[in-house]
Amino acid sequence: MSKQWFVVGISGATCSGKSTLADKIRDTFPTSITLRQDDFFLLPDDRRHVKIQELNHINWELITSLDMQKMYSDVIKILESPGRNATASKMLLILDGFLLFKHKPIADLCDCKYFLTLTKEQCWERRKNRIYEPLDVPGYFDKIVWPEYVKYKNEVVRNNEMCKTITFIDGSKDMVEIYEGVSNEISHVLS
């Protein structure tokens, strides 16, 4: 596979600013492409979903609610394709996803990994005003969203090999500050 590509992975809490950061980076680097994990959710009627009986709702916070093989296949297609700008020394692929590093083959492709964190209160303040399709049902955040995030973050932190390769960022910081730090790191690596 060509090392013409530099892969940035952005993961972390729901509503922590992952997509905003990914978009800002994409807008800064003209030779970049963004791929979002959210675009790989299974359809609501897919039989592979895990249903939460108590809430009569699908658990959308599990890696099994996503077609990760399709995402991985799409990432590989991009990495094997010639860049859009043959004169650029490196093309930038930005991967954005709330469970991105849970899929080891994709995590292993990331040259830089960022994990945005929030406290439960900060996360709820941001999430409660978001409109999801399907809508969050009452109790979904407390019973499912937050515990699944904590479990994922703990898995990442306990995986010493992976944890050493990740930059953890407080997602409650000013986005301009977050973006400038990440953008400077990427620029430094690409130069």
Side-chain angles (χ1 to χ4, degrees):
M1 213 169 316
S2 164
K3 271 324 282 177
Q4 179 185 3
W5 289 92
F6 185 81
V7 183
V8 175
I10 303 170
S11 194
T14 179
C15 303
S16 60
K18 299 179 300 297
S19 296
T20 303
L21 179 59
D23 290 346
K24 284 181 171 294
I25 294 167
R26 182 201 60 222
D27 293 346
T28 301
F29 296 91
T31 60
S32 63
I33 295 175
T34 305
L35 199 62
R36 299 189 193 292
Q37 192 175 38
D38 283 0
D39 293 336
F40 295 89
F41 274 111
L42 300 174
L43 295 173
D45 61 353
D46 195 293
R47 295 160 50 99
R48 291 172 285 180
H49 278 300
V50 174
K51 188 146 188 197
I52 309 148
Q53 297 304 327
E54 167 189 3
L55 298 177
N56 192 28
H57 194 68
I58 292 170
N59 186 342
W60 295 97
E61 312 310 308
L62 302 173
I63 195 80
T64 54
S65 68
L66 298 147
D67 187 344
M68 293 307 296
Q69 279 313 113
K70 171 79 171 109
M71 184 176 184
Y72 179 70
S73 169
D74 287 0
V75 168
I76 294 300
K77 277 184 205 152
I78 291 168
L79 296 179
E80 289 176 345
S81 71
R84 290 179 301 187
N85 180 353
T87 62
S89 57
K90 287 255 190 216
M91 298 286 293
L92 189 61
L93 175 59
I94 306 154
L95 304 177
D96 153 19
F98 73 114
L99 293 173
L100 194 65
F101 305 143
K102 201 167 175 82
H103 190 270
K104 187 174 178 356
I106 288 179
D108 288 347
L109 292 172
C110 295
D111 298 299
C112 263
K113 298 182 190 90
Y114 299 97
F115 193 104
L116 278 67
T117 63
L118 289 174
T119 65
K120 184 177 183 182
E121 295 71 28
Q122 292 162 339
C123 194
W124 172 245
E125 273 307 304
R126 294 179 184 189
R127 177 137 179 151
K128 71 181 181 183
N129 299 317
R130 283 250 182 113
I131 307 295
Y132 288 91
E133 188 55 48
L135 293 172
D136 283 357
V137 295
Y140 184 69
F141 179 82
D142 285 322
K143 286 183 172 31
I144 306 299
V145 175
W146 188 253
E148 291 292 348
Y149 162 69
V150 170
K151 191 163 114 184
Y152 170 52
K153 183 180 172 206
N154 287 340
E155 284 173 20
V156 168
V157 169
R158 280 196 300 265
N159 180 337
N160 288 335
E161 189 179 314
M162 182 184 293
C163 192
K164 284 188 279 190
T165 67
I166 295 175
T167 301
F168 289 87
I169 299 170
D170 179 351
S172 69
K173 283 184 177 173
D174 178 63
M175 181 48 71
V176 172
E177 183 185 335
I178 292 172
Y179 158 73
E180 285 175 354
V182 171
S183 178
N184 287 339
E185 276 185 36
I186 294 169
S187 293
H188 179 73
V189 174
L190 293 181
S191 59

